[in-house]
Structure formats: structure tokens, C-alpha cells
Amino acid sequence: MSGNCEYVQKNYGVPACIGRRVTVGGKPGVIAEDRGHYIGVNFDEDKPGVVHNAHPTWEVEYLGMGKIRQMTRAQKRYAEYLEFSDCYESFADFLGIKSKTASY
């Protein structure tokens, strides 16, 4: 993938870039990720870090620049767990929390 929505800019002729405010189908949000043929939008109604694919020309209105909301520390920790979840039995195991039912 390109760095900052270069493919979308070049092939669809739109001013897409990370951090640009958009409305997609009437829902406001901000472009948070370059997803190749798509733009990754974090809608205002979603939590930070929740990014949806949107076609760059389907019901998209490009607005001014905005700010990407950052995930909370807990959201980042859980996202890290999801990335490596096959190495752990549970999220508690990932965090190093001992189960009350565990026998030692």
C-alpha cells in the first residue's frame, strides 16, 4: 500500500489523505488509514481505532483537515492482544493475571 492514500488520489482523483474530514453516506468521520483501493474511516459515532473501509467515490464528501482520535491505553493493549492472541489462552493470560480457579 502507498503511504498517504496516493493510489486513491491518483486513480480516483479525490483529495483523500490521512486526517481529512469526510462524510460517507451522511455519516461524519475522519480518514484514519490508507487501505489501498479504499479509505479507512473512523466515524465520529465509533470508538477511536474502529476503522471502516469506504469506497473513495461512493457518497463521500471531502472536507477540511481534522484530527485522528487516538485509542485509549486499554484499547491499544487489547489490540495488541488480538494481534498475538494465538499465543495466549485468554486476555487475562496475556495480561499475566492469575485466575482464581487456577491450582498451583
Side-chain angles (χ1 to χ4, degrees), residues 17-68:
C17 62
I18 294 174
R20 183 168 299 281
R21 298 276 313 156
V22 293
T23 59
V24 180
K27 292 170 50 177
V30 66
I31 299 174
E33 293 180 8
D34 177 355
R35 295 206 166 168
H37 298 278
Y38 294 93
I39 53 175
V41 180
N42 173 234
F43 292 107
D44 294 350
E45 65 189 29
D46 292 331
K47 292 182 179 183
V50 176
V51 180
H52 300 275
N53 284 349
H55 190 278
T57 62
W58 187 81
E59 295 188 13
V60 178
E61 179 183 355
Y62 292 88
L63 308 169
M65 295 304 289
K67 184 176 179 185
I68 300 171

Side-chain angles (χ1 to χ4, degrees), residues 1-12 14 16-18 31-40:
M1 281 189 231
S2 60
N4 195 2
C5 304
E6 293 172 19
Y7 178 88
V8 168
Q9 291 171 1
K10 182 187 252 185
N11 292 286
Y12 293 103
V14 295
C17 62
I18 294 174
I31 299 174
E33 293 180 8
D34 177 355
R35 295 206 166 168
H37 298 278
Y38 294 93
I39 53 175

